[in-house]
Each structure stands twice: as C-alpha cells, then as structure tokens.
Amino acid sequence: MKKRVFILISIVFFFNYYIAWGQQSANLDDWKAEYQKRIEETIRRKKELKPHFSEDVHFTKPDYIVYIPQVEPEKLGDCYNDHFQVFDKPDGTMFALTCQATCEGAIDQHVAFLRSLDHGKTWSEPKVLAGPSTMNSEVPIASWGFPMVSRSGRIYVLYDQYIPGKVSTNRQHTGLMTGIFSDDNGDTWSQPELVPMPRTKNDSPDLSIPPEWVVWQKPLRLAENDKYLVGVTRYVAPQFHSKYHTVTEFIRFENIDDDPPVKEIQATWFMTDENVLQTGVYCEEPSIVKLPDGRLFTLLRTGTGYPCWSVSEDGGQTWTQPEKLLDKDNGTPFLHPVSPCPIYDWKGNEAASGFYFAFVHNKFDFANKNPWQNRGPLYLIAGKYQPNAKQPIWFAAPQLFVDRPSSQSFYASVTRTDGQTVLWYPDQKFYLLGRIIGEEWFKDWIQE
C-alpha cells in the first residue's frame, strides 16, 4: 500500500512540475516563491532518508560509488545531482561533471566537477565550476555542463549560462553557451567566455532572450576527421505554439584539437530551422552511436509513447525522418514515456562495435493524455547491428535493470574503465554511481 501511495505522489508531483513549465516567470521573487515549498519538502525527505543512505545507495547494484550527497543545511545545493558526464584522458585520469541544486531548477543550480586518480574507485568532492554554490548567492544559475578533451589534454567544459530576467519557456534551459578550459586536469580554470551560437526560427522573437537548449550527452569523436559531434535539444519559443515543444539539432566542433580560447571555438550547426528533427510535440535528448558501416544512429525520446531512431550517412550533417524503435524490422515497438532513453556502444563510445545497449521503461499508458508518465523500473535492451536491415540495430527482449518504483531518469554517460564498459548514472537524480555492463546482458546475441 505504501509503495502505491509513494508512486501516486511521485506521479502527481512530476505532472505538476512539468505542467508548471508552461512559461516560467523571469522575476526572481516569483522564482523563490515557486520553489520554497518544493525545497523544504526535498530537504525534509532527504534528511529522513539520510540514516539509510549506506543501504539505499546499493539498491541499483553499483560497482562504483562516486558521490553520496551530504544534505546539510549549511551546504545546500547537493540534494539534486543530474546530467552525469564522466570522461577520461589517455593516462587513465577520470573526471566527471554533474548539475547540482537543492532541487531541479532551483536558484542554486550549478555545474560541479569531480576527479578520480584511481580509475574511478575514489573521487574528489564536487567543485563548483559555474553558477551559485549556495541558495543565497547572487550568481545566476548555470546548467548542463558537457566536456571535450583536446589531443593535447586541454579540458573544455561548456554549459548553459542563464541570464537574469531572460526566460523563453524554462529558466534552466534558456541561456548562452558558455565555456571554460583547464590545462592542469581541473586544478585551475580559465575565465568564462561565450561560444558563438546561431539563432533560429524556433527561438524567441525577442532578441534579448537567449535560445533555449540542452546538450544532454557528452560530445563524441564521431564526425569527419574524429571531430566532436553532439545532439542538441532546442525548445521552441512559446510564442510559436500552444504546448511545450522541442526539436533536435546537431553540433560539430571544428577546432577543439587546436586548443583555441573558448570564444574562438568554431561550431557548425546541422539540422536547424526548418530542417530540425521532429516528430509530434517532443523530439529531444538525442544520443548517438556509430555503426560498423560508418553511419551514425541516434535514439530520441518523444511524447508518442515510443522512442524514435534516425540515421546519418554523412557524419551527422543530415538525418533521416525519425521512426519508432522496434525490436526488429516489422517487429514490436518499445513503449516509453517522455523520459531519457540513451543508447551506448558496448565496446566504447566511438568503437562502432556492432553491439549496443539502450534503456526504456517498457510501458506507456496511451489512455493518459499526459506523456510525462511515471519513470519507474528501467529495462536494458541489448542490440546488435544488422547490416541488411531497415532499422540497423535489432534488440533483444527488455531485461530489468533497476526496479525502483519511480524517479529513474538516466541522464548518464559511458566510459571504458579497466577494460570494461561502465555506465555512470545519477540514481534518482541523487546518488552518482557506476555499474559495469558485462556480457551477461548480451547473452541472446553472443549465443547466436
């Protein structure tokens, strides 16, 4: 009974949270008032759970524990951890970015940085790179940091920098692409500078309001000449529609290996304006893998009840019209609400190995008109490249990966660590963890 009540409360909270996204006020006092009760409730619930953290953190069977929030009154800003981007350098040094806040979208939201010198076994405490570190700071929020490492080892971190008083639909997504770099493994960082970002027909007609966008996966060396490529969610300004609306674009970073200052980073944008990828109201959060034949495959979350896929034959410059994800050609579609559905290469981000894995909730209630449905148990679907198929990756039956009843949003990343593929994920958008994805998940394909 308690479990059902908890799920119901979570669904109601989740629904109300996203409905409130209609268009947020740019007024700071409105922002504080909007979040006051949510912050108080978040802190209360996390404090009640704190005596059980040491047990609860193992619920999802992690092999690595990166960070357990402290939930201390004098250290606000770590009850929410999300957008967990783990990356490394050839020498084995590992780094991570996370978006922290007391709760998602609160006025203390910031980008934090962690480091591991022992292949992910232990990690430093989070260090704030951008945005406020306390609830009372006057520094504007910063969100959704993503990394790139040049051939020389320079670390770039780009993020969405909110401009006070300027909101399109949502504060935490409206902002300027801003970046910093480090040449000493994150000990010191450059001053923030802007990365030029083109406006499109989907942005606010008010030119003082920045674009609304999110890069939710780390860029990978998937484009021509091993250049970094990444997908982008762009939010359509509310003046152009009656509902919350998203589309997908792509960025290729041209000169990262030249170690430019941030303001001289050259980025080429693909699939913009009338060429965006879209299907229905939501088409967002693309993750990309490379196929053995050199094509790129992206998986997108939608509001249709299914994830959708698309392929590119020219290194990410153009993409096919999204189609619903099936287990195989002419097969059964996978059910999924508006929730992260990332896909990764089992042998490494740029391996083009032919073996892939993705995550779905494996359910959707089509009678419910709200596509933002409960993010409950999460299933891994193991896939294999099919060279002659229309859908180039076919998937085995869903396998239960996490059995939590709600709050499972895998804004995750992957590394090859000690010869194994590790999924790094924010359990309940709270604990930062890692789990090895072994061959047991691919038994159906390996035994073929």
Side-chain angles (χ1 to χ4, degrees), residues 14 41 48 101 119 345 434:
F14 192 71
E41 177 63 15
E48 288 182 355
H119 300 265
D345 193 309

Side-chain angles (χ1 to χ4, degrees), residues 385-437:
Y385 171 64
Q386 305 293 326
N388 300 313
K390 178 184 178 182
Q391 179 181 298
I393 303 175
W394 290 4
F395 294 89
Q399 303 172 74
L400 184 62
F401 190 81
V402 172
D403 197 21
R404 286 196 187 277
S406 65
S407 304
Q408 285 308 98
S409 304
F410 270 20
Y411 289 92
S413 55
V414 158
T415 62
R416 287 287 288 178
T417 303
D418 291 333
Q420 301 184 91
T421 295
V422 179
L423 175 76
W424 304 95
Y425 59 100
D427 179 21
Q428 302 176 98
K429 294 188 177 182
F430 188 65
Y431 308 117
L432 297 180
L433 309 173
R435 184 167 167 181
I436 295 170
I437 306 298

Side-chain angles (χ1 to χ4, degrees), residues 66 108 121 144 196 204 206 211 252 298 308 350 352 359-360 364:
V66 177
D108 60 345
K121 296 179 180 63
W144 324 129
S204 173
D206 181 348
R252 185 177 68 203
T298 187
C308 283
E350 294 109 354
F359 292 95
V360 296
F364 188 79

